[in-house]
Coordinates of all heavy atoms in Angstrom, one line a residue:
E2 N 109.5 70.9 152.0 CA 108.8 72.1 152.3 C 109.6 73.2 153.1 O 109.2 74.4 153.2 CB 107.4 71.8 152.9 CG 106.4 71.1 152.0 CD 105.1 71.0 152.6 OE1 104.3 72.0 152.5 OE2 104.8 70.0 153.3
E3 N 110.6 72.7 153.9 CA 111.3 73.6 154.6 C 112.1 74.7 153.7 O 112.5 75.8 154.3 CB 112.4 72.9 155.4 CG 111.8 71.9 156.5 CD 111.4 70.7 156.0 OE1 111.5 70.4 154.8 OE2 110.7 69.9 156.8
I4 N 112.2 74.3 152.4 CA 112.8 75.3 151.5 C 111.9 76.5 151.3 O 112.4 77.7 151.3 CB 113.1 74.6 150.2 CG1 114.3 73.6 150.3 CG2 113.5 75.6 149.2 CD1 114.6 72.7 149.2
G5 N 110.6 76.3 151.3 CA 109.6 77.4 151.3 C 109.8 78.2 152.5 O 109.6 79.5 152.4
I6 N 110.0 77.6 153.6 CA 110.1 78.4 154.8 C 111.4 79.3 154.8 O 111.3 80.4 155.2 CB 110.1 77.5 156.1 CG1 108.8 76.7 156.2 CG2 110.5 78.2 157.4 CD1 108.8 75.6 157.2
F7 N 112.4 78.6 154.4 CA 113.7 79.4 154.2 C 113.6 80.6 153.4 O 113.9 81.7 153.8 CB 114.7 78.4 153.6 CG 116.1 79.0 153.3 CD1 116.9 79.3 154.4 CD2 116.4 79.2 152.0 CE1 118.1 79.8 154.1 CE2 117.7 79.8 151.7 CZ 118.5 80.1 152.7
F8 N 113.0 80.5 152.3 CA 112.9 81.6 151.3 C 111.8 82.6 151.8 O 111.9 83.8 151.7 CB 112.5 81.2 149.9 CG 113.7 80.5 149.1 CD1 113.6 79.3 148.6 CD2 114.8 81.2 149.1 CE1 114.6 78.7 147.8 CE2 115.9 80.8 148.4 CZ 115.8 79.5 147.7
G9 N 110.8 82.1 152.5 CA 109.7 83.0 153.1 C 110.2 83.9 154.2 O 109.9 85.1 154.1
N10 N 111.2 83.4 154.9 CA 111.7 84.2 156.0 C 112.7 85.2 155.4 O 112.8 86.3 155.8 CB 112.4 83.3 157.0 CG 111.6 82.6 158.0 OD1 110.5 83.1 158.3 ND2 111.8 81.3 158.4
W11 N 113.5 84.7 154.4 CA 114.5 85.5 153.8 C 113.8 86.8 153.1 O 114.2 87.9 153.3 CB 115.3 84.7 152.8 CG 116.6 85.4 152.3 CD1 116.9 86.7 152.4 CD2 117.6 84.9 151.5 NE1 118.1 87.0 151.8 CE2 118.6 85.9 151.2 CE3 117.9 83.5 151.0 CZ2 119.7 85.6 150.4 CZ3 119.0 83.3 150.3 CH2 120.0 84.3 150.0
I12 N 112.9 86.4 152.2 CA 112.3 87.5 151.5 C 111.4 88.3 152.3 O 111.3 89.5 152.2 CB 111.4 86.8 150.3 CG1 112.3 86.1 149.4 CG2 110.6 87.9 149.6 CD1 111.5 85.4 148.2
G13 N 110.7 87.7 153.4 CA 109.9 88.4 154.3 C 110.7 89.5 155.0 O 110.2 90.7 155.2
E14 N 111.9 89.2 155.4 CA 112.8 90.2 156.1 C 113.1 91.3 155.2 O 113.2 92.4 155.6 CB 114.0 89.5 156.7 CG 113.7 88.6 157.8 CD 115.0 87.8 158.2 OE1 116.1 88.1 157.6 OE2 114.9 87.0 159.2
I15 N 113.4 91.0 153.9 CA 113.8 92.0 152.8 C 112.6 93.0 152.7 O 112.8 94.2 152.7 CB 114.1 91.4 151.6 CG1 115.4 90.6 151.7 CG2 114.3 92.5 150.4 CD1 115.7 89.8 150.4
L16 N 111.4 92.5 152.6 CA 110.3 93.3 152.3 C 109.8 94.1 153.5 O 109.3 95.2 153.3 CB 109.1 92.5 151.7 CG 109.4 91.7 150.4 CD1 108.2 91.0 149.8 CD2 110.0 92.6 149.3
S17 N 109.9 93.5 154.6 CA 109.3 94.2 155.8 C 110.3 95.3 156.2 O 109.8 96.3 156.9 CB 109.3 93.2 157.0 OG 110.5 92.7 157.3
E18 N 111.6 95.3 155.8 CA 112.4 96.3 156.1 C 112.3 97.6 155.3 O 112.6 98.7 155.6 CB 113.9 95.9 156.0 CG 114.3 94.8 157.1 CD 115.7 94.3 157.0 OE1 116.3 94.6 156.0 OE2 116.1 93.6 157.8
N19 N 111.8 97.5 154.0 CA 111.7 98.6 153.1 C 110.3 99.1 152.8 O 110.2 100.1 152.1 CB 112.5 98.3 151.8 CG 111.9 97.0 151.0 OD1 110.6 96.9 151.1 ND2 112.7 96.3 150.4
E20 N 109.4 98.3 153.3 CA 107.9 98.9 153.3 C 107.4 99.0 151.8 O 106.3 99.5 151.6 CB 107.8 100.1 154.0 CG 108.1 100.0 155.5 CD 107.8 101.3 156.3 OE1 107.5 102.3 155.6 OE2 107.7 101.3 157.5
E21 N 108.1 98.4 150.8 CA 107.6 98.5 149.5 C 106.3 97.8 149.3 O 105.5 98.1 148.5 CB 108.7 97.9 148.6 CG 109.8 98.8 148.2 CD 109.4 100.0 147.3 OE1 108.4 99.9 146.7 OE2 110.1 100.9 147.3
F22 N 106.0 96.7 150.1 CA 104.8 96.0 150.0 C 103.9 96.3 151.2 O 103.0 95.5 151.5 CB 105.1 94.5 149.8 CG 105.7 94.1 148.5 CD1 107.0 94.3 148.2 CD2 105.0 93.7 147.5 CE1 107.6 94.0 147.0 CE2 105.4 93.3 146.2 CZ 106.9 93.5 146.0
S23 N 104.0 97.3 151.8 CA 103.2 97.6 153.1 C 101.8 97.9 152.8 O 101.0 97.8 153.7 CB 103.9 98.8 153.7 OG 103.8 100.0 153.0
T24 N 101.5 98.1 151.5 CA 100.0 98.4 151.3 C 99.2 97.2 150.8 O 98.1 97.2 150.5 CB 99.9 99.4 150.1 OG1 100.5 98.9 148.9 CG2 100.6 100.7 150.5
V25 N 99.9 96.0 150.8 CA 99.3 94.8 150.5 C 98.3 94.4 151.5 O 98.5 94.4 152.7 CB 100.4 93.6 150.3 CG1 99.6 92.3 150.1 CG2 101.2 93.9 149.1
D26 N 97.0 94.0 151.0 CA 95.9 93.6 152.0 C 95.9 92.1 152.1 O 95.4 91.6 153.1 CB 94.6 94.2 151.4 CG 94.6 95.7 151.4 OD1 94.7 96.3 152.4 OD2 94.5 96.3 150.2
F27 N 96.2 91.4 151.1 CA 96.0 90.0 151.1 C 97.2 89.3 150.3 O 97.7 89.9 149.3 CB 94.8 89.5 150.5 CG 93.5 89.9 151.3 CD1 92.7 91.0 150.9 CD2 93.1 89.3 152.5 CE1 91.6 91.4 151.5 CE2 92.1 89.7 153.2 CZ 91.2 90.8 152.7
I28 N 97.6 88.1 150.8 CA 98.6 87.3 150.0 C 97.9 86.1 149.6 O 97.2 85.4 150.3 CB 99.8 86.9 151.0 CG1 100.5 88.1 151.6 CG2 100.7 85.9 150.2 CD1 101.5 87.7 152.7
L29 N 98.1 85.8 148.3 CA 97.3 84.8 147.5 C 98.2 83.8 146.8 O 99.0 84.3 145.9 CB 96.2 85.5 146.6 CG 95.0 84.7 146.2 CD1 94.1 84.4 147.4 CD2 94.2 85.5 145.2
P30 N 98.2 82.6 147.1 CA 99.2 81.6 146.4 C 98.5 81.1 145.0 O 97.2 81.1 144.9 CB 99.2 80.5 147.3 CG 97.8 80.4 148.0 CD 97.4 81.9 148.1
V31 N 99.3 81.0 144.0 CA 98.9 80.3 142.8 C 98.5 78.9 143.2 O 99.2 78.2 143.8 CB 100.0 80.3 141.7 CG1 99.6 79.4 140.6 CG2 100.3 81.7 141.3
P32 N 97.3 78.6 143.0 CA 96.7 77.3 143.5 C 97.2 76.2 142.4 O 97.5 76.4 141.2 CB 95.2 77.4 143.4 CG 94.9 78.4 142.3 CD 96.1 79.4 142.4
I33 N 97.3 75.0 143.1 CA 97.5 73.8 142.1 C 96.2 73.0 142.1 O 95.4 73.2 143.0 CB 98.7 72.9 142.6 CG1 98.4 72.3 144.0 CG2 100.0 73.7 142.6 CD1 99.4 71.3 144.4
H34 N 96.0 72.3 141.1 CA 94.7 71.5 141.0 C 94.5 70.5 142.1 O 95.6 70.0 142.5 CB 94.7 70.8 139.6 CG 93.3 70.3 139.3 ND1 92.8 69.0 139.6 CD2 92.3 70.8 138.6 CE1 91.6 68.8 139.2 NE2 91.4 69.9 138.5
A35 N 93.3 70.4 142.5 CA 93.0 69.5 143.7 C 93.6 68.1 143.5 O 94.1 67.5 144.4 CB 91.5 69.4 143.9
K36 N 93.5 67.5 142.3 CA 94.0 66.1 142.0 C 95.5 66.2 142.2 O 96.0 65.2 142.8 CB 93.7 65.7 140.6 CG 92.2 65.5 140.4 CD 91.9 64.9 139.0 CE 90.4 64.6 138.7 NZ 90.1 64.2 137.5
K37 N 96.2 67.2 141.7 CA 97.7 67.2 141.9 C 98.0 67.5 143.3 O 99.1 66.9 143.8 CB 98.2 68.3 141.0 CG 99.7 68.3 141.0 CD 100.3 69.5 140.1 CE 100.2 69.0 138.7 NZ 100.9 70.0 137.8
Q38 N 97.3 68.3 144.0 CA 97.6 68.5 145.4 C 97.4 67.2 146.2 O 98.1 66.9 147.2 CB 96.8 69.6 146.0 CG 97.1 69.9 147.5 CD 96.8 71.3 147.9 OE1 96.8 72.2 147.0 NE2 96.7 71.5 149.1
K39 N 96.3 66.4 145.8 CA 96.2 65.2 146.6 C 97.3 64.2 146.4 O 97.7 63.5 147.3 CB 94.8 64.5 146.0 CG 94.5 63.3 146.9 CD 93.1 62.8 146.4 CE 92.7 61.6 147.2 NZ 91.3 61.0 146.8
I40 N 97.9 64.1 145.2 CA 99.0 63.2 144.9 C 100.3 63.8 145.6 O 101.0 63.0 146.2 CB 99.2 63.1 143.2 CG1 98.0 62.5 142.6 CG2 100.5 62.5 143.1 CD1 98.1 62.6 141.1
R41 N 100.5 65.1 145.4 CA 101.7 65.6 146.0 C 101.7 65.8 147.5 O 102.7 65.6 148.2 CB 102.0 67.0 145.3 CG 103.3 67.6 145.8 CD 103.6 69.0 145.1 NE 103.7 68.9 143.7 CZ 103.7 69.9 142.8 NH1 103.6 71.1 143.3 NH2 103.9 69.7 141.5
G42 N 100.5 66.1 147.9 CA 100.2 66.2 149.4 C 100.3 67.7 149.9 O 100.0 67.9 151.1
Y43 N 100.7 68.6 149.0 CA 100.9 70.0 149.5 C 101.0 70.9 148.3 O 101.3 70.4 147.2 CB 102.2 70.1 150.4 CG 103.4 69.8 149.6 CD1 104.3 70.7 149.1 CD2 103.9 68.4 149.5 CE1 105.4 70.4 148.4 CE2 105.0 68.1 148.8 CZ 105.8 69.1 148.3 OH 106.9 68.8 147.6
N44 N 100.8 72.2 148.5 CA 101.1 73.2 147.6 C 102.4 73.8 147.9 O 102.7 74.2 149.1 CB 100.0 74.3 147.6 CG 100.3 75.4 146.5 OD1 101.3 75.7 146.1 ND2 99.3 76.1 146.1

């Protein structure tokens, strides 16, 4: 999951610098099914 953190910080820095997504009110993940998340342990 650290790979998600790595890309989150990288992309987050890009977007926070140019304000292209400054009007976003909420961030919403594509969900995985509850059964799959139980098996995998995470989204």
Side-chain angles (χ1 to χ4, degrees):
E2 291 186 85
E3 292 81 5
I4 292 172
I6 297 173
F7 173 75
F8 285 129
N10 285 326
W11 190 350
I12 297 174
E14 288 176 4
I15 292 173
L16 299 186
S17 62
E18 288 176 358
N19 58 36
E20 297 186 349
E21 282 288 342
F22 288 80
S23 61
T24 62
V25 169
D26 297 296
F27 296 101
I28 301 170
L29 202 64
V31 170
I33 62 176
H34 193 272
K36 290 182 179 179
K37 182 177 288 186
Q38 181 153 340
K39 185 176 182 179
I40 294 171
R41 186 181 296 172
Y43 62 97
N44 181 334

